[in-house]
Amino acid sequence: MTTQKNTLNIKTAEDVQGSEIFIEADVVVVGSGAGGAINAYELAKQGKKVIVLEAGPYVPSSKFSEMLAVGMGTLYQDGGRQSNTHGDIAVLQGACVGGSTVVNAALCFRTPDYYLDLWAKEFGLKNLTPELMSGYFDKVEKNLGIHTNGAHETSSGAELIAQGLEKLNIQRGIARRNIRDCALTGFCFSGCKTDRKQSMLVTYLPWACNHGAEIYADTRVTRITTKNGQASGVEAVVVDPKTKAVKSVMKVSAPIVVLAAGPIQTPIILQQSGIANSSGQVGKNFACHPVLSVTAVFDKPVDNFLGATHSLYVDTHALPEEGGYLLLDAIEEPVEAAFSCEPGTGKPYVAYMEKYRNNIRLMTLIHDKNVGEVRLKDGVKEIIYEVDDGDFEVMKKGLKYNAEILFAAGAQFLYLPTSDRTVIESADDIGRVIDQLKNEPARYRYISFHPQGTCRMGADPSKNVVNPYGETHDVKKLYIADASLLPTSIGYNPSETVYALASYIADQIVESNFS
């Protein structure tokens, strides 16, 4: 019987024998998420020997628990506890074979032309025209089944929100997702057990392996090696996921390195390697789309835990000049409901959870400034980031818009996502309650699924890490292909942007090295 592991041609720490491993390859890809998997496939398809190294474990879809509390511990970076230095923003990333594509909500947006034009003007990315990118969006949408939700996929909470939007004459956007025949179980954030979500685990990675690519899980890259100003391979350690002990030391010799470890891990690997930072920008310009969810309580059960994880969005104010915030509905399972707001402790908390079936949430995501930094200090990862004062005012505007929609949808009252109990009892109180909110660290229950920007792409080598074609300015044959490339925050879920950019960069590698 063929197993998923056989299909993936994958080795884990359990499979590795010997204290030292030496591999020669044409390409080594660091990271198996969106950017890494796409490059692995496109380059292996050229007949090249491709090795993919993934720091996280291999968890087959048959082992997904469909419980967020368990999924956090097995599929997420730092067991779901990765956060900024203040600890008030949970920065969620997948840490497994397939990366964040395994645990995201599958929501896809094409990069607005606004940002492509901005990047051309301010960062010299004149090659990334709307016309060129359209072709790559078409390609990944076909490969990953990205399509607009059908009416039958709409969650019950989204239907209520849609009624509120209609009352307020606000345009509704219908979500587009990389899903095929969605089972509507609502477990996207815990991994899709039925393989309906078209993550890298069930698409580009097996496709790459079909062309001979090899994947090593539990394998953390510690250093990128160079020779005469060019990439020459990587050094890594294979770590037993149970004991955390190093089982083997690995060296991969390869004339091309594709670094796609993610916007937090990629700059740390470059910092450990001491390369590609003549600009001083490695790890700088971090943004993460902070999100606050408003919880609405209704007078009857809504059961908003089945259907598409995201059914609708409101982007009437998404671009910076329009406001800079995006609203997204999201279904919510009990673990999320338990930490998304503070209803009180003891009896008030129990009463809140007893009414869980009556609750829905609407998320406010902001286009934040790139004010953060990722760095390694004394061997410890740090995400130095606070919500900018100006960005917080944008968040408050978004929360007001959010609250107006929820009351129009029929909510009895709303909980704000604060560390103390904050309730809005009626639509008349929206302005009074939200206006008094201050930008205070550790007061709000932020989450972020969208770290980005730490190895900025741009034409000027004195201000940017990566050139317009994905190659680092300082080190030839070293390419970066993940969300760390994004020159600015884009205010929308960046997954499709990464899919398209990774495809484009893979084509540049082929053209420059294999043609």
Side-chain angles (χ1 to χ4, degrees), residues 234-250:
V234 303
E235 296 174 355
V237 289
V238 180
V239 179
D240 186 313
K242 295 178 181 177
T243 66
K244 307 304 180 186
V246 173
K247 189 172 181 180
S248 184
V249 175
M250 177 185 289

Side-chain angles (χ1 to χ4, degrees), residues 124-142:
L125 300 182
K126 297 179 181 179
N127 52 318
L128 302 181
T129 64
E131 293 74 24
L132 177 135
M133 292 301 291
S134 179
Y136 285 99
F137 291 136
D138 288 342
K139 179 180 181 178
V140 298
E141 286 170 5
K142 179 180 179 181

